[in-house]
Structure formats: structure tokens, C-alpha cells
Amino acid sequence: GLYTLVYSVSDSDNNTSTAIRKVRVMDFEAPSLKLIGGDNIYTELNFPFIDPGYTVSDKKDPNPTVEVIGKIDTSVFGEQVLKYCATDASGNRACLLRTVRVGDTTRPVISLIGADSVYIEVYDSTYIDAGYVYNDNDSANVAVRENGDWNEQFGELDTYTLTYLAIDRKDNRARTSRTITVGDTTKPTINLIGSSKLIVERWSTYIDSGYTFFDNYFDTSDVDVAIGRTFINTQSLGKYALIYRATDPEGNIAEVIREIEVVQPSSVKEA
């Protein structure tokens, strides 16, 4: 404010002289402005920028105004600057700069469509992988690579891996994998040569006509054929069976049965 000082002096004859001094009290001190979080900060690409803010105080003005000049565009890589200026009621001004660096450290997110483990019957070449979905804060600049040892080996029994690797332009990476098993659950095929039901005479010579077999995957030399029997020979009357069981190396089993009935010769009569 404006103040007045009056100076008065008198001599012994009461002669008086006065002088007046006007004093204006003014504020020349700028506000105190501090940036929360420092003058260099980082923000992620394409995420909303949240300004950590500032603190401001002034010895004379309890409510100095603060103006933030500039705007951060998080869709653009690089450094951008914000200017903060605090002004008190006397017009004193203090300004600070904050540098904001826009970068990308966020990994893509990639997920499989469908199950993470699939089974394919050997030689079934109709399988088409269901693929994947992904998203990223920089989705327009993501490349997805296929890795792993799966190369459509439909005719080879094994377990394979198909890996999808998502990489953005800042080399942030994410991956997901699918296990693909090519297996064999198909039974061998075994067929009787001749009839599956026979009637033979007692004491006759029986020679079995045998069987044929094959497997959808394995060589016949790899398939085990075992013969189970209740039939031994033609010495005893009765109904018997020969059971032919084919087992491949994957444990798939097929079997056929030949029924044999031993009967009394027509020329022989029982006592």
C-alpha cells in the first residue's frame, strides 16, 4: 500500500518547517513454484498422459494463478515440453519447464484362438490352425511371427509346438504356444480267410485258413498278432473258438473270432 511520513522541525522562535515522504510498499518477489515428479518424466505411448502437477506458494498472495502451456500428444514418440507459469497478484511471475518423453515399454498381449493343445489323427490333413488374436498400445505396428517345429507333419507321430511371437516396433515381445499332437488311435484291420463259423468232424485234420491284416500307419512287421484259443484239436466234441488279436505299437487292438464246432462224423454212431 501507500503510506505517508511527515517530518517536522521547529526552532526556538517557533518557526516550523515540515517535509512529507510518501512510501509505497510493493511486492517484487515471484511465487515459489515446484514441479511434482521432477522436470523430466516418462509416459507410455498411446496411454492417457496424467500430469503429476505442481505446488505453488507466495509470501503475499495466498492464491497465485498457474498456467500450464503446452499439451502432450502420447501418439508421438519423443520429447515434448510443458511450461508452468505462476503469477501473483502483483504480477510477479515464475516459470518452469518440464520435459515429457513418450516411449513404449509395453509388451503386446497375444492369445490363442481355441485350445492350447490339439490332437490330430495321423494322416488327417484337414487340420487348420485356429490362429491368434493380439492387442497392443501400438497395435498398428505389431508383426507376428510363427516359430516352432510344427510344419504340417500330418504323417509323422509326434508332439509338436507352434509358437506365435508378437513384436512391436520398439521390440517389445510376447509369445504364446500351441501343442499339436499327431497320434494314432485307429485299430489295425484284421480279416479271417474263410468263414468265421466252421463245423468240422471229430478226428479230422483241421488246418486253419488263417487271416490277413494291415494297419493304417505301421508296417505289418510292427504289428503283433496273437492267437487265443479254446480250440486245440478235433479230438473232443464241442464248440470252440480261435481269437485273432492284432495290436499295433500304439496299443490299438482289433480282433476277430472264428467259431469251430466239432461234431460226430456222420459215419459214426455214438453208443
Side-chain angles (χ1 to χ4, degrees):
L2 183 62
Y3 302 90
T4 300
L5 293 176
V6 179
Y7 302 87
S8 180
V9 62
S10 299
D11 61 18
S12 58
D13 292 324
N14 290 323
N15 297 306
T16 301
S17 179
T18 60
I20 298 175
R21 172 178 286 159
K22 293 187 179 292
V23 179
R24 184 182 299 275
V25 178
M26 300 184 68
D27 176 16
F28 294 102
E29 187 173 351
S32 175
L33 178 63
K34 294 182 180 180
L35 298 178
I36 298 173
D39 57 3
N40 282 279
I41 63 173
Y42 174 87
T43 193
E44 196 73 6
L45 181 75
N46 288 327
F47 278 73
F49 172 69
I50 300 176
D51 193 326
Y54 51 83
T55 61
V56 63
S57 61
D58 189 79
K59 292 182 178 180
K60 300 297 183 181
D61 184 356
N63 297 298
T65 61
V66 177
E67 179 185 12
V68 181
I69 302 167
K71 186 177 180 181
I72 302 302
D73 183 357
T74 63
S75 68
V76 179
F77 284 110
E79 294 185 347
Q80 302 173 43
V81 176
L82 294 175
K83 185 176 184 180
Y84 302 78
C85 289
T87 306
D88 65 16
S90 297
N92 300 304
R93 185 177 173 92
C95 292
L96 293 174
L97 298 178
R98 189 192 321 260
T99 299
V100 180
R101 183 171 65 89
V102 178
D104 181 13
T105 61
T106 300
R107 294 190 302 172
V109 176
I110 185 167
S111 304
L112 294 172
I113 298 173
D116 60 3
S117 180
V118 298
Y119 175 86
I120 304 171
E121 188 71 10
V122 66
Y123 297 128
D124 180 7
S125 59
T126 60
Y127 172 75
I128 299 174
D129 194 75
Y132 56 86
V133 292
Y134 72 87
N135 61 68
D136 187 61
N137 60 320
D138 193 21
S139 289
N141 296 284
V142 173
V144 178
R145 302 175 186 170
E146 292 187 13
N147 296 319
D149 55 3
W150 171 245
N151 191 28
E152 298 187 347
Q153 299 97 319
F154 297 110
E156 300 176 31
L157 299 183
D158 209 340
T159 298
Y160 304 92
T161 300
L162 177 59
T163 298
Y164 295 102
L165 176 64
I167 309 172
D168 67 19
R169 56 179 160 169
K170 291 299 181 180
D171 204 37
N172 299 302
R173 299 178 174 221
R175 72 186 66 223
T176 187
S177 296
R178 194 187 320 270
T179 300
I180 299 173
T181 300
V182 178
D184 175 21
T185 60
T186 302
K187 299 176 181 180
T189 298
I190 184 167
N191 296 304
L192 294 172
I193 297 174
S195 176
S196 63
K197 293 184 178 182
L198 297 176
I199 297 176
V200 298
E201 291 186 345
R202 189 180 187 186
W203 300 304
S204 65
T205 300
Y206 174 78
I207 299 174
D208 193 75
S209 55
Y211 55 87
T212 61
F213 70 96
F214 64 90
D215 190 73
N216 65 314
Y217 182 76
F218 294 98
D219 292 336
T220 54
S221 60
D222 296 323
V223 177
D224 178 67
V225 178
I227 302 175
R229 62 181 69 221
T230 60
F231 175 76
I232 304 298
N233 52 46
T234 61
Q235 300 302 305
S236 300
L237 298 174
K239 292 182 178 180
Y240 305 94
L242 290 175
I243 303 170
Y244 303 86
R245 181 176 290 109
T247 306
D248 70 17
E250 290 295 297
N252 301 303
I253 299 173
E255 66 179 29
V256 291
I257 299 174
R258 194 189 312 271
E259 297 177 359
I260 301 172
E261 183 178 1
V262 179
V263 298
Q264 195 71 271
S266 57
S267 60
V268 176
K269 296 184 179 179
E270 293 187 11

